[in-house]
Every structure is written in structure tokens, then in C-alpha cells.
Amino acid sequence: MRRLSRKKALSLVKELDAFPKVSESYVETSASGGTVSLIAFSAMALLAILEFFVYRDTWMKYEYSVDKDFSSKLRINIDITVAMKCQHVGADILDLAETMITSNGLQYEPVIFELTPQQRLWQRTLLLIQNRLREEHALQEVLYKTLLKGAPTALPPREDTSMEPLNACRIHGHVYVNKVAGNLHITVGKPIHHPQGHAHIAAFVSHETYNFSHRIDHLSFGEEIPGIINPLDGTEKITYNNNQMFQYFITVVPTRLNTYKISADTHQFSVTERERVINHAAGSHGVSGIFVKYDTSSLMVTVSEQHMPLWQFLVRLCGIIGGIFSTTGMLHGLVGFCFDIVCCRFKLGVYRPREDVQLHDQMNNLNNHQIPLLADNIPQE
């Protein structure tokens, strides 16, 4: 009974065989089939290699949610050079809640405003990247994934000690502010703190020394990540008017970055620039200086690096191999069918009538018999 049940089970399994075996004596090969097979195998190998490169690549996934963290502080990273001496300028921040933020975290360093050839080359390269980022937003994903291999984006130091006078002031450092709208002022005079308002002591600064030509080497919000290029990095503004106002309107978006190389909480921002000459007689009122007005968005963006799973790669690979194999087989059969129709229509090849075939064979035999006849007629010496 057991042996009988085993035979039944084995026969049932054989009936379910989806890959029937054909004896080699019944298999017919052809040159056209071999050519198509070589083409199919080459296409399979090429597409499989390309699919492997796609499997190795990653992409950035963007998710949006409401930012519920309003109690934490916002960090502002500043590195701005102004074409005025440090004793003549001051920087501070006033937010929407009329809270005066002291600039204790900022340092004032006397420097030379003109750049060296090496620094100018760095700035031109940075501006070129900025222009490409404005045209191709997908390049930002490349920066997220590579982080420029950790390369610093700060202005390189001067390679020589120049004897030129220190005619500019580099204001750099970071400040923690409330997550509300605010205004960063860089204007004439040092700021003073009093409960009635906001003021700068500018009475002892000559009006002829006003020069708010500036260069923004770095300006970012949140955790500072090496390699990330911000919209205002490398910006340079030159003015020959003493009463010039520069304004930057910034919208800050909290961003959580999760890649295979780094995980950090940073901020993206968009900026709108405006500049004008202060002329009270013409109705253009205001104060000369540099003003960075920022506001935070209520949305948070989560940027995470994604990778194709292994099972999806295997499914796509099987689809490539099976699809090419089936497609080339159908194309080979279709071409053979069309070739048979053409041969049948014009009576070519195997479709030639038998009378023509017999006549052709007789002509071949006649030609073959003429050769020894000609050889017999040769006179012997």
C-alpha cells in the first residue's frame, strides 16, 4: 500500500511539472536562433549590470509634518565681513516679542576686506555652485548624500601676511534666539540695552566712514553641518554710497536630516534680497546697515535617504531576464513567420516548385560531367 501511494504521489508531481523535458533528438537548432540567443544574452547581461548600479544608488525621501517644538531655541551661525572698522559697527538681534538678544556669542575680528587670489577662486567656485543649485534643485540631494566628503565650506585663511591696513571687520560666531520672527541688525555704532527700545550709539562715528559693503561667507540656522551650502554663502555686495541699506528676508524651515552618513536637526531657508539708498528728502527713510529679517515656518521637513530593498532588486532582475527571453523568442518566431510568407509568395527556398528544382539539379549534374570530358581531350605527349 505504501509503495502504491508513493507511485501515485510521484505521478501526481510529474503531472504538475511546468518544465517538460524534450529529447535532444527532437530539438532543431538554426543559425538565426543562435544569433538571437547571443543578442538576448548580451542584452540580459547589460541590463542586469545597469540594474545593479540602480540597486546601489539611493534617493532622498521628503516627509512633511507640523513642527510642534516651539519652546526650543534656534541657533543662528554668522560669518559676515563688513568694510568698516570693528569699533564703528555693532550687531544684535531683536525678535518679534521685543526681546533683545545680546551678541555675546559673536566675535569682532579686524581683517582685510580684499580677498587673496586663492580666496577669490574659492568664492567664484562657491557662486558657481550656487547658480547651479538655483537651476537644478536636484543637486541639493547630492549634497545631502555626499556632504562634500566633509569638506569645510568656510572661507580659507589668507596664505600670506599682508602689510595692508585692517580696514574691515569680520563678525562671526553663533547666537541662540527664540523660535519667532526676528531681525539681525548690523549697523553703525555699538548696541545698547535699555527697556524702552533698541538703539545704537553712532554719534561718534563720522558719516564719511559709512561703508556697508559686505561679504557673507556663511549664514545658516540650526546645527551646522560641514559640506551643506546655504543660499547666502559667498554673497558679496559692494556699494559706493554711504547711505545704503541691505535687507534679506528669510523664511526658515526646520529640517531633520537622516542619511547613511549623518543624522542631524538643521534648517533650510529661502531668501529675498533688497537694497536701497536712504534719502529722507526723497521719501526713502530708514537706517543704513545690513538687516536680516527671518521668520520660522510651522512645517517640518524630514529628509531621509532610501535604498532599494534586496527583494525588489531580485524581482526586477527576474523580470528583465524573463521579459527579454520571452520577447526575443516571440520576435524570432514572428520574423520566421514573415520570412516564410515572403518565400511562399515569391516561391523561394523550400517553396520553389519541384520542376525548377529538378531542372536545377540536372544542370548541376551536366556541369559536373563536363569537367572530365575536357580532361580526356587533352593530347598526350
Side-chain angles (χ1 to χ4, degrees):
M1 293 295 293
R2 291 182 179 178
R3 188 174 299 177
L4 183 61
S5 61
R6 289 180 180 177
K7 289 183 178 180
K8 289 183 178 180
L10 184 60
S11 62
L12 180 60
V13 173
K14 288 182 177 180
E15 291 178 358
L16 296 176
D17 187 6
F19 307 97
K21 308 301 184 295
V22 181
S23 177
E24 294 184 358
S25 59
Y26 296 101
V27 177
E28 181 181 357
T29 59
S30 62
S32 61
T35 305
V36 173
S37 299
L38 290 177
I39 296 174
F41 292 148
S42 302
M44 289 179 192
L46 177 61
L47 293 181
I49 294 174
L50 295 178
E51 188 65 26
F52 177 73
F53 285 116
V54 173
Y55 169 71
R56 290 187 57 189
D57 194 13
T58 59
W59 66 91
M60 307 307 294
K61 180 181 179 181
Y62 294 84
E63 298 178 346
Y64 302 91
S65 60
V66 178
D67 185 16
K68 300 179 180 179
D69 186 11
F70 298 103
S71 58
S72 62
K73 296 291 185 178
L74 176 64
R75 172 172 169 167
I76 304 180
N77 307 296
I78 303 170
D79 191 352
I80 301 177
T81 302
V82 186
M84 292 181 64
K85 295 184 178 181
C86 290
Q87 61 267 26
H88 296 162
V89 295
D92 63 335
I93 299 176
L94 184 67
D95 62 17
L96 192 62
E98 299 296 331
T99 302
M100 186 76 176
I101 308 298
T102 59
S103 56
N104 295 332
L106 299 179
Q107 301 178 10
Y108 296 83
E109 179 185 352
V111 294
I112 300 174
F113 188 77
E114 294 295 330
L115 298 177
T116 62
Q118 178 185 2
Q119 293 175 331
R120 184 63 64 181
L121 178 62
W122 171 89
Q123 188 191 30
R124 291 175 180 175
T125 305
L126 186 58
L127 292 178
L128 179 61
I129 298 176
Q130 293 282 24
N131 293 331
R132 294 294 302 273
L133 282 172
R134 294 187 183 98
E135 297 175 359
E136 299 289 341
H137 299 285
L139 291 179
Q140 186 64 48
E141 297 186 1
V142 179
L143 297 179
Y144 280 150
K145 290 189 290 185
T146 59
L147 296 180
L148 292 181
K149 297 182 180 180
T153 56
L155 182 70
R158 304 181 72 90
E159 63 273 11
D160 57 350
T161 56
S162 178
M163 301 302 294
E164 298 181 13
L166 304 178
N167 57 354
C169 182
R170 180 191 175 198
I171 304 174
H172 61 96
H174 61 271
V175 179
Y176 289 93
V177 299
N178 300 319
K179 293 185 71 172
V180 294
N183 194 348
L184 168 65
H185 306 84
I186 300 178
T187 186
V188 179
K190 299 298 180 180
I192 59 174
H193 307 281
H194 60 89
Q196 300 297 328
H198 169 260
H200 286 253
I201 301 177
F204 303 102
V205 181
S206 174
H207 186 268
E208 285 74 16
T209 61
Y210 287 16
N211 185 4
F212 285 101
S213 299
H214 62 281
R215 182 176 58 253
I216 302 177
D217 297 325
H218 181 77
L219 180 65
S220 63
F221 296 83
E223 185 177 350
E224 191 173 2
I225 302 177
I228 296 298
I229 300 177
N230 297 277
L232 286 177
D233 292 352
T235 301
E236 186 177 38
K237 300 290 184 180
I238 304 297
T239 180
Y240 299 97
N241 195 302
N242 297 333
N243 296 325
Q244 192 80 11
M245 173 190 283
F246 297 93
Q247 292 177 308
Y248 299 94
F249 301 92
I250 293 178
T251 302
V252 183
V253 181
T255 304
R256 182 168 298 165
L257 184 62
N258 296 318
T259 66
Y260 291 106
K261 293 185 178 181
I262 193 173
S263 178
D265 291 330
T266 181
H267 291 72
Q268 302 179 82
F269 65 89
S270 60
V271 60
T272 303
E273 304 177 14
R274 183 187 177 190
E275 59 180 272
R276 60 188 177 93
V277 178
I278 303 300
N279 189 351
H280 298 284
S284 178
H285 305 288
V287 179
S288 303
I290 305 169
F291 300 90
V292 180
K293 299 183 179 182
Y294 62 90
D295 192 6
T296 57
S297 174
S298 59
L299 292 179
M300 173 181 287
V301 180
T302 302
V303 184
S304 56
E305 189 174 3
Q306 300 292 320
H307 188 274
M308 181 187 297
L310 179 61
W311 64 267
Q312 187 175 355
F313 168 70
L314 296 178
V315 170
R316 292 165 65 98
L317 195 62
C318 292
I320 289 174
I321 297 175
I324 293 179
F325 188 80
S326 302
T327 303
T328 52
M330 289 187 294
L331 290 177
H332 181 256
L334 180 62
V335 172
F337 177 72
C338 296
F339 184 77
D340 290 341
I341 292 178
V342 172
C343 291
C344 180
R345 173 67 178 83
F346 294 98
K347 298 180 180 181
L348 301 175
V350 295
Y351 298 98
R352 180 182 300 174
R354 296 186 58 85
E355 298 177 356
D356 295 343
V357 174
Q358 293 176 357
L359 179 60
H360 184 268
D361 293 340
Q362 291 176 1
M363 293 297 294
N364 289 335
N365 294 331
L366 181 60
N367 293 331
N368 293 332
H369 287 299
Q370 286 177 355
I371 296 175
L373 290 177
L374 292 176
D376 294 336
N377 296 328
I378 296 177
Q380 296 181 359
E381 294 180 0

